[in-house]
Amino acid sequence: MPVDVLTQIEIARPRTEVAAYASDPDNAPVWYENIDSVEWRTPPPAALGTRVAFVARFLGRRLAYTYEIAELVAGERLVMRTSEGPFPMETTYTWADAPDGTRMTLRNRGEPAGFARVGAPMMARSMRKANRKDLEQLKRLLESR
């Protein structure tokens, strides 16, 4: 069963500012509750083909994975993919102008493999809850500037 979780939030800051902050992997541990560390595998800044290793916690487990940037349109869209582990995933950020700032969309999708497939519905619910919290944290951070 595929997992496809879409979460949106409006942030009262300019799109260029929201996109620049959210697309910088070094900021991920600040606004993602479950990300513990980030390590660049290719030199910054982020560009097509850039590889970044993350260590995270999800559903009580430690996860280590490397994302590769598959698409990057500055200020509009970022797509990262990993094919590692029991849950190969694609994460997409999009940013659009909103009446009072920016609408940011965070989408995680993938197809769990092996035993992880059994837990896909629970995984999607947990991911949706975590994504909502993470976007709310990003909103707090950026709007307090």
Side-chain angles (χ1 to χ4, degrees), residues 49-69:
T50 295
R51 295 174 47 81
V52 182
F54 291 86
V55 174
R57 290 168 282 104
F58 186 67
L59 298 175
R61 297 186 64 201
R62 180 185 181 275
L63 303 172
Y65 54 93
T66 301
Y67 267 131
E68 183 170 332
I69 295 180

Side-chain angles (χ1 to χ4, degrees), residues 81-118:
R81 292 186 184 119
T82 182
S83 58
E84 299 172 349
F87 186 42
M89 187 166 53
E90 176 180 273
T91 298
T92 302
Y93 302 156
T94 58
W95 303 279
D97 292 330
D100 294 319
T102 303
R103 181 175 46 266
M104 180 172 170
T105 302
L106 168 57
R107 182 180 189 188
N108 291 111
R109 63 183 180 156
E111 185 130 7
F115 186 72
R117 185 176 299 160
V118 175

Side-chain angles (χ1 to χ4, degrees), residues 14-79:
R15 180 168 45 102
T16 54
E17 182 181 329
V18 175
Y21 187 88
S23 65
D24 182 344
D26 286 328
N27 294 327
V30 178
W31 66 277
Y32 272 103
E33 181 178 321
N34 295 328
I35 293 182
D36 294 328
S37 66
V38 173
E39 183 180 331
W40 293 82
R41 298 290 187 192
T42 55
L48 194 62
T50 295
R51 295 174 47 81
V52 182
F54 291 86
V55 174
R57 290 168 282 104
F58 186 67
L59 298 175
R61 297 186 64 201
R62 180 185 181 275
L63 303 172
Y65 54 93
T66 301
Y67 267 131
E68 183 170 332
I69 295 180
E71 186 179 340
L72 178 59
V73 179
E76 293 179 23
R77 183 176 171 86
L78 169 66
V79 180

